[in-house]
Structures are given as structure tokens and as C-alpha cells.
Amino acid sequence: MHPLLPSLAAAGLYAGATLYQGLRFGRRQAPDKRLLGLLGALALIAHALSLNLQLLPGIGLNLDFFNASSLIACAVIALTLLGSARIPVENLLLLLFPLGALTVLLAEFVPGGTSQPINEAPGILAHILLSILAYGLLTIAMFQSLLLSLQDHQLKHKHPSGLIRNFPPLQTMESLLFGFLWAGWLLLSLSLLSGWLFVDNLLAQHLAHKTLLSCLAWLVFAVLLWGRHQLGWRGHKAIRWTLAGFCLLMLAYFGSKLVREFILHI
């Protein structure tokens, strides 16, 4: 089976879910969670099928730049959909569904770089899985911080939009942000630990920048969580630290991957 059909199906379902959610927010009405969840689940199934065909074309795991982006987006949306059954995070889907549509289309239509298929031991694969889950949760935290910033700005200026009117209270939004940060930071810690245990020469030339930036991101998130616990950091300070840590983490993975695959061709 060719991945074109499931890729187009996933993009179409993501677009439909985004349109439905956006129209409901525009009318200052909450979207039907069951319908939104159904559209998201169908899109996610098509996305996963497309990824299966793209990531496993033969021997090894084809984790090039765009496939990796699509995989992380799929993981982020899956985590958010699962979480929405218990906690009020469905507003994040308005940002995540377009991200899913974009990444699945890029993975299908834009040629990848020169990344070699990964055919490694279970320890390396566990490191990759932990990294993807950590990136996924910290990506959710980044989007949550953006929505928190928007909510805070509109409430201070007393002109909340239809989107903001459907948000949980500001305190709940902030608690969700730090819940995502704690979970993402713990997974990032495990990812770095597994890298030291299983990756040969983690400070080799092609891994040094990734390792350094990942450690800096880990430190930024650690300081933020300490500041929250010890000094009561919140609001704009928490948002700025979250975005700083996320930028370092994305540079660590996608920046180094972009340079290696499309500039250095290694």
C-alpha cells in the first residue's frame, strides 16, 4: 500500500476537525467533545498508517527530518486526545490538528534528507522512543503556554474572544502547564540517561551539538520547575522559560537534523 492515500485522508480529517472546532469557537460555543474526538481519532489512525508505511519501508527505521516531524506531531496529538478524556485540554487541538496536517503532508510530498535507516539495538530504540515522548509532552507544554499567554492578555484587556470564553479558568490552565512540564522533564531526563547508557560516544562530532543543547534545555526546565516550587513563578515568567527551553530542545533535535541531512549530507 502506498502512503499517499492515508496521508491525504489524515490531512483532510485534521483540516475538517480544525474547521469544525474553529467555527464553534467563532460562535462562542464549545465543540462537541465526542465528535471532535471521533474526527481526531480517525485522523490519527490514518496518520499512524501513513507513518507505518513511511518509517518502515524495508530494513531499518527511516527517521529522516520530515518523518521525524510527522511522528512527533502524531505522538503529541495522541497524547492530547487521550488526556482530553480526563482533563480540559481539547482547546490545544485547535493548534495541534493543523500541525498534524502540515507534517503528514510534508512527510509525503517533500523529499527527505540523507538520513540512513536506523537498525540498532533495543537500547537505542528505547532512547529514541523516550526522546519522542519527551519532545511530545514538552511540545504540548509549549502550546499550552501560548494559549495561557493569550488568555492572560485578553482577560487583562477585558475583551475575551469566543476561543478564550471556552477555556478553563486561568489557574487550571497554569496547573495543566506545569503538569505537562513535569512529565516532559522527567521523560527528557530518562532520554538523556538512556543516551549516556546506550549511545556510543555521545559527544562525537555529529552528536555534540544535540547533546549540549538537550542538556541546556533540561537545565532550563529544571530551573523553571524549581522556581515554581520554591519561588512561586507563574504567568509571563513561566511562559518565557517554557518557550526558551522548548526552543533549545527543538534546535537540539531538528536543528542538528536539518543541518546534517540537508546541508552536510551525513
Side-chain angles (χ1 to χ4, degrees), residues 85-106:
R86 300 291 299 274
I87 54 179
V89 292
E90 59 272 7
N91 295 311
L92 288 169
L93 295 170
L94 188 61
L95 301 176
L96 295 176
F97 282 154
L99 178 68
L102 177 63
T103 56
V104 76
L105 290 175
L106 287 174

Side-chain angles (χ1 to χ4, degrees), residues 201-215 252 256:
N201 197 7
L202 197 60
L203 295 176
Q205 183 176 0
H206 67 289
L207 292 175
H209 291 87
K210 180 179 178 181
T211 303
L212 176 61
L213 288 169
S214 296
C215 290
S256 61

Side-chain angles (χ1 to χ4, degrees), residues 21-77:
Q21 195 174 16
L23 288 173
R24 296 288 288 185
F25 281 142
R27 297 170 184 166
R28 299 189 175 185
Q29 298 173 340
D32 186 307
K33 287 185 67 172
R34 287 179 296 181
L35 178 56
L36 189 65
L38 176 62
L39 289 171
L42 291 174
L44 201 60
I45 290 170
H47 194 163
L49 179 57
S50 172
L51 275 171
N52 181 63
L53 297 168
Q54 291 163 336
L55 292 173
L56 300 169
I59 298 176
L61 184 67
N62 181 24
L63 202 62
D64 64 27
F65 180 83
F66 293 112
N67 282 348
S69 303
S70 182
L71 178 59
I72 290 175
C74 187
V76 169
I77 293 168

Side-chain angles (χ1 to χ4, degrees), residues 140-174:
I140 295 173
M142 184 274 294
F143 280 119
Q144 179 75 1
S145 72
L146 293 177
L147 291 180
L148 182 62
S149 177
L150 177 63
Q151 183 181 23
D152 181 64
H153 178 269
Q154 293 201 4
L155 289 175
K156 282 182 178 178
H157 291 79
K158 299 181 179 179
H159 53 79
S161 64
L163 173 65
I164 298 301
R165 288 178 185 273
N166 288 288
F167 278 16
L170 197 65
Q171 186 175 0
T172 302
M173 291 283 286
E174 198 168 75

